[in-house]
Amino acid sequence: MVNAAEAPLLAHQEDDFDDELQPEAADAGRADNKQQQSGPIGTFVWLLTLSAYDTGVISATLVSVRTSLSGRELGSFDKSIITSCTALFALVASPLSSILADAFGRKPVILMADVLFIFGALVQALSYTVSNMVIGRSIVGWAIGAASFVTPLYIAELVPAAHRGRLVTLNVLSITMGQVVAYVVGWIFAEYGEPSMGWRFTVGLGAVPAVLQCVLVIFMPESPRWLVKAKKPVEARAVIQKTLGSDQASSHLVDDILESIEVEIIEEENSAKLNSRQRSSHSLLTGWDNLFNVPKNRRALTIACLLQGLQQLCGFNSLMYFSATIFSMLGFTAPTLTSLSVAATNFVFTVAALLLIDRIGRRRILLYSIPFMVIGLFLSAYGFRSTKIPPAEVKMSDSMRSGAFIILASIMIYVASYALGLGNVPWMQSELFPLSVRSLGSGVATATNWLANFVVGLTFLPLMDSLTPSWTFVLYGIICVAGWFGVWLIYPETVGLTLEEATGLLENGWGVR
Ligand SMILES: O[C@H]1[C@H](O)[C@@H](O)[C@H](O)[C@@H](O)[C@H]1O
């Protein structure tokens, strides 16, 4: 997802910048944060859960749809396409929305995403054929791609400096939280709703946070950074004044902040010009050239793509999307409730990770947690092997039940260890890149994430059918083992380093000692 890509980048870079230039400004910002957190921006940040609702909602939907689409039970192919088209369109939409956000501002793009969320939710809720559902999920994919890119960017540009550093944290938290909400809603409608209608409410409810966000956005200001870039300093000034709270913000402080934004934009433009002159190529290509041909940038990109690719290819989202399908196949009587444990464990251990990550370190937390993912995957493979999957009409025997519980327990081990490491660490990607290629590098790594997400969503059920469930889980286990060696070989520890030190590590090699 492009979501966390830009946010941490701006967070760190502007944190340092503001703190260096005007200590009092940063202090005032910090004091002001406490007020901001509970204000509209706090609400706004939590509305980020919006894009995640739509990734979590599919699990319960797939088992509740039954024959309401195209008048037949969904096959593996239907389920795979319905699920993965969302990731595919998100992948295309995020780079496009970054162009729109530069041309027209952040607010119009957020509004556009909200309209797409509402429209997509309605199309899904009113679908009577598989292809209509695919269209609805694809529209939502566009919305997710745009929202996950522009919302954190907008918040990062709007909130006072000291608040921004928390954005990576909040972002992953709100994603996993959105998935929990979607699972709970899915479960309630699957259990208590009218069988052929419940799922329609589950997907349709995706429109509600979008409507709320629309209303909120209309009253929020445009990003001051974008306004300065668009040569509208007077409007930018008014926004800064407003976000600082008019009583505290002396005009001196507002001028300082405005000036710092202007200086930064001029520096960016100058360095872009200089680069393109030095390399005598078109400026659009310079960034790419820098990213691929400067060894330390190439190393940073390799690491970021390895981590993002591994985050998806380890198979986690196949559980996020299909856990209810798996648990109903295993004969659990309330599969949507059982699968809620996946989303809830993911959320709880994400919270734990965020408390631990700065103490244990990124490299170390990955090296410790991935082996437990492998254990969880191999144990579930064993569980699947020793459990005969009962035909739908046959009641479960005790041995079947204990096999099913082994699978459930090992999936929990896997999910918890995923959430502790791989679920979070890749989103710290921006700290690997120097400023000149930070945004581009994070964007490419994020695209790798969506691409791998798409591949996993598309192939999971066909793999379960053709390879058997056991071998599918073994395959994910092997990918994790390979990934562990990759991390061990090339991912240096960056915890506790300044951004310059972190990017400096990759100057003459991988920086792994
Ligand atoms: O960091 C997030 C989180 O782990 C989510 O639970 C998962 O669905 C996303 O794909 C991932 O990017």
Side-chain angles (χ1 to χ4, degrees), residues 3 9 18 49 65 83 93 136 151 167 194 200 234 238 273 298 315 317 329 341 377 399 403 464-465 477 490 496 506:
N3 50 1
L9 157 182
D18 286 357
T49 31
V65 160
T83 304
T151 321
L167 268 171
E194 206 267 304
R200 296 186 187 278
V234 181
K273 271 190 215 138
R298 198 171 47 226
N317 278 318
M329 190 171 95
S341 56
L377 286 167
S399 75
M464 296 275 278
D465 290 342
I490 66 172
L506 298 172

Side-chain angles (χ1 to χ4, degrees), residues 1 3 55 172 175-176 179 308 311-312 316-317 320-321 346 350 418-419 422-424 426-427 449-450 453:
M1 323 165 317
N3 50 1
T55 62
V172 188
I175 292 169
T176 51
Q179 292 170 333
Q308 291 288 17
Q311 182 191 73
Q312 298 301 322
F316 172 78
N317 278 318
M320 188 46 73
Y321 302 147
N346 187 32
T350 300
Y418 165 86
L422 263 187
N424 290 285
W427 294 121
N449 179 299
W450 277 121
N453 187 326

Side-chain angles (χ1 to χ4, degrees), residues 7-123:
L9 157 182
L10 288 154
H12 291 295
Q13 132 202 356
E14 292 181 15
D15 265 0
D16 295 351
F17 192 72
D18 286 357
D19 285 12
E20 265 166 37
L21 274 186
Q22 330 102 24
E24 323 96 86
D27 281 350
R30 232 162 257 141
D32 188 54
N33 284 333
K34 296 205 178 71
Q35 292 176 3
Q36 296 280 5
Q37 234 148 351
S38 52
I41 291 179
T43 318
F44 200 81
V45 171
W46 281 109
L47 282 172
L48 278 176
T49 31
L50 176 68
S51 20
Y53 180 85
D54 279 287
T55 62
V57 88
I58 198 64
S59 174
T61 307
L62 290 179
V63 294
S64 317
V65 160
R66 294 179 206 277
T67 53
S68 6
L69 291 178
S70 303
R72 55 180 160 85
E73 289 284 344
L74 296 182
S76 293
F77 183 70
D78 301 321
K79 289 186 177 184
S80 307
I81 295 286
I82 289 175
T83 304
S84 58
C85 63
T86 310
L88 181 65
F89 281 93
L91 169 67
V92 183
S94 28
L96 286 184
S97 61
S98 87
I99 299 173
L100 292 180
D102 278 340
F104 301 108
R106 302 357 182 176
K107 264 180 75 170
V109 178
I110 298 178
L111 285 172
M112 177 195 81
D114 284 333
V115 170
L116 289 174
F117 271 123
I118 298 168
F119 187 51
L122 293 178
V123 172

Side-chain angles (χ1 to χ4, degrees), residues 5 27 53 55 59 71 82 98 104 117 143 189 225 231 236 302-303 326 365-366 381 413-414 418 481 503 508 510:
D27 281 350
Y53 180 85
T55 62
S59 174
I82 289 175
S98 87
F104 301 108
F117 271 123
F189 280 110
R225 204 171 185 286
K231 310 264 177 293
T302 311
I303 298 171
I326 299 174
I365 214 167
L366 285 181
I413 298 176
Y414 166 74
Y418 165 86
V481 172
T503 55
N508 298 312
W510 296 103

Side-chain angles (χ1 to χ4, degrees), residues 316-347:
F316 172 78
N317 278 318
S318 51
L319 293 182
M320 188 46 73
Y321 302 147
F322 301 113
S323 54
T325 302
I326 299 174
F327 293 132
S328 80
M329 190 171 95
L330 286 170
F332 281 91
T333 44
T336 47
L337 178 61
T338 317
S339 66
L340 177 56
S341 56
V342 169
T345 309
N346 187 32
F347 176 68

